[in-house]
Amino acid sequence: MNGKRRDIGEIPELGEIPEEMYASVIRPERFGEPREAFRTEVVPTPVAGRGEVLVMVMAAGINYNNVWAALGAPLDVIAARRRQGATEDYHIGGSEGSGVVWAVGEGASGVAVGDHVVLTGCQWDEHAQDIRLGADPMTSQSQKVWGYELNGGSFAQFTVVKDYQCLPKPPHLTWEEAACYLLTGATAYRQLCGWHPHVVNPGDPVLIWGGAGGLGSMAIQITRQRGGIPIAVVSSDDRADYCLKLGAEGVINRNDFDHWGRLPDIDDHEASAAWTKQARGFGKRIWEILGTRASPKIVLEHSGEATIPTSLLVCDTAGMVVICGGTSGYNGDVDLRHLWMRQKRLQGSHFANLQQCRDITTLVAAGSIDPCLSRVDSFEDIGESHQVLYENNQPPGNLAVLVNSPERGLVSLPG
Ligand SMILES: NC(=O)c1ccc[n+]([C@@H]2O[C@H](COP(=O)([O-])OP(=O)(O)OC[C@H]3O[C@@H](n4cnc5c(N)ncnc54)[C@H](OP(=O)(O)O)[C@@H]3O)[C@@H](O)[C@H]2O)c1
């Protein structure tokens, strides 16, 4: 430590490390709606340990996981960490960001002070037995989401990450653009390209829930990039227009149907018939968009309880429903008859490994995928940014906040 605390947006000399910093903090006594849960506080600046890197954060991406952190449910992340021995009684969220490498800990490699980087959102123990035996690190027992399960995320002037979390920032992006695409982009990339043999091939129809959302906007572009045919689901006309401009073949407004949620009891024939009629009507809309009676080879799921029964019905024979979240609830009903008779795959998927993070970053750096940044807030508004997500009032695409970047755009830096 060799410097005094700086205001947000006041960039120190390269390598100068203040003893204290500002962070957007959640505490258990403030659990509740995001607007109230986040508060700017002064906390000690973290120190990079072995294999770690201190990064001065320029901008951070906003994601749904820190809505849960704010609510304290379904997981109280602070209590969960304390049960495992952590002493801190607060949470600093933020699972993606962009910034400058400010200090490099002993043994850290592949990065140097002054590098402009984007930060991936997961950590694991590289010495874990399962990884040593060849497991994808995302399936390791040791894997945890940084800035959610792990404390000390990107909603602070400085953050400590593992060296492998740093990827070169695509140079043409602003700090806020660079901060917003990696979490949703890499997650969608793993869903669509990571579960062989169910990967998007040319001509494959792909159904994408929440097409105008963070995941959805990335998924539409990745599907097109691979020659697939993206079909988006949305809840408003302006979101529909957004998806069509991004490359969707067609769009379905989910408000045209009302069969969402848990399946009716199987013995309730009337309710079951009404459900099936609605769900088949939804499937017919897919055929109309495709101009043929084809079904999605892959259904990109994250909306969960409200939509999973429909996803499993409309998915093609031997196709895959791949799910990474449950925005509308976690009790997803499965009519097992569709699953076994049509030999469909229901696949869980969680964020992405380093190769997948690199792949999406390469596509973004090449200009093939747009980060879809739609809203940028100030550091003080981190709670408000999460509130709009919580209320599903967000504009299409991805959201970011400025952290130490004093303004939007390609801000130049010392060093
Ligand atoms: N496991 C992981 O690694 C991972 C990574 C990223 C995200 N996720 C999860 O995936 C989910 C989506 O993330 P995101 O960043 O894309 O969020 P987002 O930007 O808020 O988009 C989600 C979209 O879901 C749609 N939606 C909301 N409620 C719905 C419902 N009841 N039925 C159908 N669609 C509904 C909304 O679109 P319309 O209202 O227009 O339909 C919304 O735009 C979240 O639960 C998030 O936690 C998981």
Side-chain angles (χ1 to χ4, degrees):
M1 304 290 173
N2 55 5
K4 65 176 177 45
R5 189 171 77 226
R6 302 291 189 136
D7 287 339
I8 291 284
E10 194 190 347
I11 296 171
E13 287 301 310
L14 184 62
E16 180 192 320
I17 305 172
E19 279 179 23
E20 293 177 327
M21 64 171 187
Y22 288 103
S24 189
V25 172
I26 296 170
R27 290 184 179 276
E29 53 271 28
R30 291 198 295 266
F31 278 160
E33 300 223 346
R35 185 177 287 137
E36 305 301 330
F38 290 89
R39 284 280 177 280
T40 301
E41 295 186 15
V42 174
V43 297
T45 304
V47 177
R50 191 167 173 77
E52 293 179 335
V53 171
L54 181 72
V55 173
M56 185 193 62
V57 182
M58 292 295 279
I62 301 292
N63 291 284
Y64 212 89
N65 60 358
N66 273 281
V67 171
W68 297 325
L71 295 170
L75 176 68
D76 175 343
V77 287
I78 299 167
R81 283 196 291 268
R82 285 173 76 89
R83 280 196 295 277
Q84 288 167 11
T87 53
E88 286 152 355
D89 58 356
Y90 60 86
H91 172 72
I92 301 173
S95 301
E96 63 180 335
S98 61
V100 183
V101 173
W102 218 247
V104 174
E106 194 191 337
S109 60
V111 281
V113 170
D115 284 357
H116 292 189
V117 291
V118 290
L119 304 175
T120 73
C122 269
Q123 292 186 6
W124 46 75
D125 175 3
E126 289 182 302
H127 298 106
Q129 185 73 350
D130 47 11
I131 291 178
R132 286 183 165 181
L133 291 173
D136 177 333
M138 280 307 298
T139 66
S140 170
Q141 297 284 346
S142 67
Q143 173 273 325
K144 285 200 164 70
V145 178
W146 164 73
Y148 178 59
E149 291 163 293
L150 297 170
N151 206 358
S154 56
F155 300 153
Q157 286 175 300
F158 290 91
T159 183
V160 164
V161 296
K162 302 288 183 193
D163 54 3
Y164 57 77
Q165 284 180 263
C166 300
L167 298 180
K169 170 185 168 288
H172 71 287
L173 298 187
T174 64
W175 293 105
E176 54 277 17
E177 286 169 332
C180 82
Y181 75 86
L182 191 47
L183 194 144
T184 53
T187 304
Y189 189 85
R190 181 179 179 87
Q191 286 184 274
L192 296 171
C193 311
W195 299 105
H196 289 270
H198 293 90
V199 294
V200 181
N201 285 311
D204 283 352
V206 176
L207 182 71
I208 298 165
W209 292 99
L215 282 172
S217 57
M218 297 289 109
I220 289 171
Q221 296 183 81
I222 295 164
T223 301
R224 272 291 176 214
Q225 178 69 25
R226 293 181 62 96
I229 308 171
I231 300 154
V233 187
V234 294
S235 62
S236 70
D237 290 345
D238 54 331
R239 289 184 179 183
D241 289 344
Y242 183 84
C243 294
L244 290 170
K245 284 194 191 111
L246 262 188
E249 185 79 5
V251 180
I252 303 172
N253 189 330
R254 63 185 168 94
N255 290 328
D256 293 346
F257 302 87
D258 61 9
H259 63 295
W260 309 117
R262 310 285 307 264
L263 282 172
D265 193 290
I266 207 143
D267 297 324
D268 185 342
H269 299 296
E270 203 177 318
S272 291
W275 186 91
T276 304
K277 191 169 173 219
Q278 285 268 321
R280 291 213 184 285
F282 182 88
K284 211 165 145 220
R285 294 288 290 277
I286 298 174
W287 294 347
E288 284 163 10
I289 288 166
L290 294 172
T292 175
R293 290 166 77 108
S295 300
K297 298 267 184 217
I298 298 180
V299 179
L300 185 126
E301 253 285 355
H302 50 85
S303 28
E305 183 173 308
T307 54
I308 196 90
T310 305
S311 295
L312 280 157
L313 181 79
V314 299
C315 177
D316 200 7
T317 299
M320 174 178 73
V321 176
V322 57
I323 183 159
C324 73
T327 310
S328 66
Y330 309 115
N331 285 326
D333 285 347
V334 176
D335 186 331
L336 292 169
R337 294 167 297 182
H338 301 309
L339 203 64
W340 94 69
M341 289 301 291
R342 301 281 178 188
Q343 301 180 69
K344 301 181 187 187
R345 174 174 177 182
L346 176 56
Q347 177 66 54
S349 194
H350 190 41
F351 188 53
N353 61 31
L354 285 185
Q355 182 65 57
Q356 291 155 345
C357 291
R358 277 197 182 267
D359 286 353
I360 192 74
T361 297
T362 301
L363 288 169
V364 171
S368 307
I369 301 272
D370 188 283
C372 288
L373 175 66
S374 59
R375 173 176 166 140
V376 183
D377 287 318
S378 69
F379 187 75
E380 287 298 331
D381 287 329
I382 286 177
E384 199 55 44
S385 312
H386 287 87
Q387 187 75 26
V388 298
L389 266 193
Y390 177 55
E391 293 171 358
N392 194 15
N393 281 332
Q394 68 280 24
N398 286 307
L399 319 185
V401 290
L402 300 181
V403 180
N404 245 5
S405 183
E407 59 191 14
R408 294 182 68 163
L410 284 165
V411 174
S412 62
L413 291 161

